[in-house]
Structure formats: C-alpha cells, structure tokens
Amino acid sequence: MGDLVDKLLEILPQVATTLTLVAAVFVTSVWLGMVLWTFRDIRSRSRDVIVQLIATLLVAVLTLPGVILYFLTRPRETLAEAYEHALEQEALLQAIDEPEV
C-alpha cells in the first residue's frame, strides 16, 4: 500500500502539469475564438474601423464581460440586412408613387 502511494505521489506533479497545460490551452482557445468572432461580427455590422477596433479590444481585454457589453452595444442589423431593408423601403415608395394602370 505504501509503494502505491509513493508511486502516485511521484506522478502527481506530472499529472498536475499536464492538466494545467490542457486547461490553459482550452481557455486560450476560447478567448481567441471570442476575439475572432467579435472581429468578424463587427466587420459585418459596421464600416467604421475605430468601432471595429474598440469592439475587438473590448472583448480581448475584458473577455466574458466584454462579450456581454458587445452584445448590448452592437448594431442590430448587419450591413447586408440594412441594405436589403433600404431596398425594400425604396421599392415600397416607388410602388406608392407609381399610378395604377
């Protein structure tokens, strides 16, 4: 029994180091994923480079609270959705202005 405990105590630092490394890689991957997702999302919602930089830095520095703040402050529509909405409104206005045949 004593030999088993000694062997476990010998490998414990290696196991702890491995688990710490795995956890660090996981947390870093999640953080990097959030930063990249934020950058791609804000690029689809704004053409302003300063806004893109601030949103990305917000998430990079504050991590999870930064993502929450980003969700609360980001534009509702993407640029493509805003363009489609503007086209729909223009088509409706033209339909109103044209006299019926």
Side-chain angles (χ1 to χ4, degrees):
M1 182 76 172
D3 291 336
L4 180 62
V5 172
D6 289 338
K7 288 180 182 179
L8 287 176
L9 288 175
E10 284 178 17
I11 65 167
L12 185 62
Q14 294 171 350
V15 171
T17 302
T18 303
L19 289 177
T20 302
L21 182 63
V22 168
V25 168
F26 176 75
V27 168
T28 303
S29 299
V30 169
W31 174 79
L32 187 60
M34 286 190 305
V35 171
L36 291 175
W37 178 86
T38 302
F39 178 70
R40 291 177 55 123
D41 187 64
I42 194 63
R43 279 187 50 199
S44 72
R45 295 175 186 275
S46 174
R47 287 189 185 101
D48 189 358
V49 176
I50 302 297
V51 170
Q52 293 173 3
L53 181 65
I54 290 172
T56 305
L57 286 175
L58 180 73
V59 173
V61 173
L62 298 179
T63 313
L64 190 57
V67 170
I68 293 169
L69 286 172
Y70 173 69
F71 273 126
L72 292 173
T73 59
R74 75 180 183 164
R76 292 178 188 251
E77 293 180 320
T78 64
L79 295 172
E81 291 170 344
Y83 178 71
E84 289 175 9
H85 186 68
L87 285 179
E88 288 175 11
Q89 287 181 343
E90 187 176 328
L92 288 174
L93 287 174
Q94 284 181 355
I96 291 173
D97 290 341
E98 292 177 359
E100 291 186 25
V101 179

